[in-house]
């Protein structure tokens, strides 16, 4: 998945300092997912995609951002409030899954995958806090304030954002 | 999954007012997961399990809480800082997946699954913000401040908690 022109890439597609897992998580079948829809964004290539939701919001004037919910799952949108915030869980299907230590962009030392928010992880599930600008349950369309994922990214879940459980207690004190 | 003695349960295991999806998400195979370990908690039955992390923290003196990371995935813990907060993503394997509208405990009206934090959802992925009390990379053991999941729950991912992207912008203003 790393471009062949990457100057520090070794032959196996792993950058210097990066370490793969002893097993490939992509070979496992411990549980199975159902895609409930997909996301629309102006980002078509990873090089142009914002790296997180903060950067995505700064660039939100660059395009439109929508979730399209597949027909069978639309009734489950009932009760979601426009204007509020929600978590989206996505399946980052273009990310490799086999790196234990990886080299973030602009970093000089490789770090453990679980200490990073990189899409490269054993289960490439993205976690994104978005504002629900509008919700049309009939067409299954949610307009979002911004997105930091590639156009077409599959959607796994929508959860309401609850500061009472989603903030560290220290933040609230 | 609903106890047979539930007074408002219909014959199909669905409570009055609850509506199943037209398809069963449990039959889908759109992507596959790798369990990276499991969680240990004192909660052995759903009736005694705290319903969210706020309630879990209030009851944290009731037991000990640990994540056990399987051997191949332990190198990916490098860089996680004890004392800090992290997201755990779990696979809530005991939850049914087929309800579009569901009746929360103590509620009188059924609500859409995506407007609730219930474990019952098309992809039963739990999202839990925990404090990493200690981290032993060699044994793959993380001591946690509290947990709101059943003992033995499979673990999918650990992500660092970053208020800059994990708080709604309105919270930060």
């Amino acid at each position: 998945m790393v471009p062949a022109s990457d100057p520090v890439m070794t032959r196996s597609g792993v950058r210097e300092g990066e370490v793969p897992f002893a097993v490939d998580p992509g070979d496992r079948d411990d549980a199975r997912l159902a895609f409930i829809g997909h996301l629309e964004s102006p980002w078509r290539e990873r090089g142009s995609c914002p790296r997180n939701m903060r950067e995505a919001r700064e660039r939100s004037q660059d395009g439109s951002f929508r979730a399209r919910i597949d027909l069978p799952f639309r009734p489950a949108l009932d009760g979601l409030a426009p204007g509020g915030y929600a978590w989206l869980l996505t399946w980052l299907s273009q990310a490799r899954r086999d790196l234990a230590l990886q080299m973030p962009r602009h970093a000089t030392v490789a770090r453990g995958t679980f200490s990073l928010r990189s899409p490269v992880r054993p289960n490439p599930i993205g976690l994104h806090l978005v504002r629900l600008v509008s919700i049309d349950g009939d067409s299954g369309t949610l307009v979002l304030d911004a997105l930091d994922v590639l156009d077409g990214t599959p959607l796994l879940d929508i959860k309401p954002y609850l500061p009472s459980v989603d903030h560290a207690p220290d933040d609230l004190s």
Side-chain angles (χ1 to χ4, degrees), chain A:
Chain A
M1 311 287 288
V2 178
S5 61
D6 189 313
V8 291
M9 193 184 70
T10 64
R11 202 162 298 178
S12 64
V14 173
R15 289 195 182 87
E16 205 174 317
E18 293 189 332
V19 175
F21 290 116
V23 298
D24 187 342
D27 293 337
R28 298 273 289 269
D29 186 14
D30 294 331
R32 297 179 175 185
L33 296 167
F35 296 161
I36 63 167
H38 68 276
L39 298 176
E40 294 178 359
S41 83
W43 324 122
R44 302 284 150 79
E45 295 172 7
R46 286 195 289 173
S48 64
C49 187
R51 273 173 299 170
N52 55 56
M53 282 302 299
R54 187 178 42 177
E55 188 182 324
R57 276 196 191 90
E58 289 167 4
R59 294 172 55 192
S60 62
Q61 74 287 357
D62 294 356
S64 64
F65 306 90
R66 288 185 169 78
R68 303 282 192 183
I69 309 304
D70 293 341
L71 184 59
F73 298 105
R74 292 178 196 167
L77 297 170
D78 179 72
L80 271 183
Y85 283 82
W87 297 106
L88 302 184
L89 273 63
T90 59
W91 185 251
L92 304 169
S93 47
Q94 301 209 23
R96 63 186 298 167
R97 303 173 61 171
D98 65 340
L99 291 188
L101 297 181
Q102 54 184 288
M103 192 73 79
R105 267 193 275 190
H106 312 303
T108 55
V109 179
R111 288 177 54 188
T113 291
F114 298 140
S115 77
L116 298 168
R117 289 290 279 256
S118 158
V120 173
R121 45 210 321 117
N123 296 295
I125 298 172
L127 176 66
H128 322 265
L129 181 62
V130 299
R131 192 164 73 85
L132 305 174
V133 177
S134 69
I135 301 169
D136 180 344
D138 292 333
S139 68
T141 302
L142 287 69
V143 175
L144 312 170
D145 64 334
L147 278 173
D148 59 350
V149 295
L150 291 174
D151 188 50
T153 295
L155 186 61
L156 298 175
D157 201 4
I158 305 170
K159 296 181 191 292
Y161 168 67
L162 302 175
S164 63
V165 298
D166 293 329
H167 282 195
D170 306 344
D171 298 343
L172 294 174
S173 63

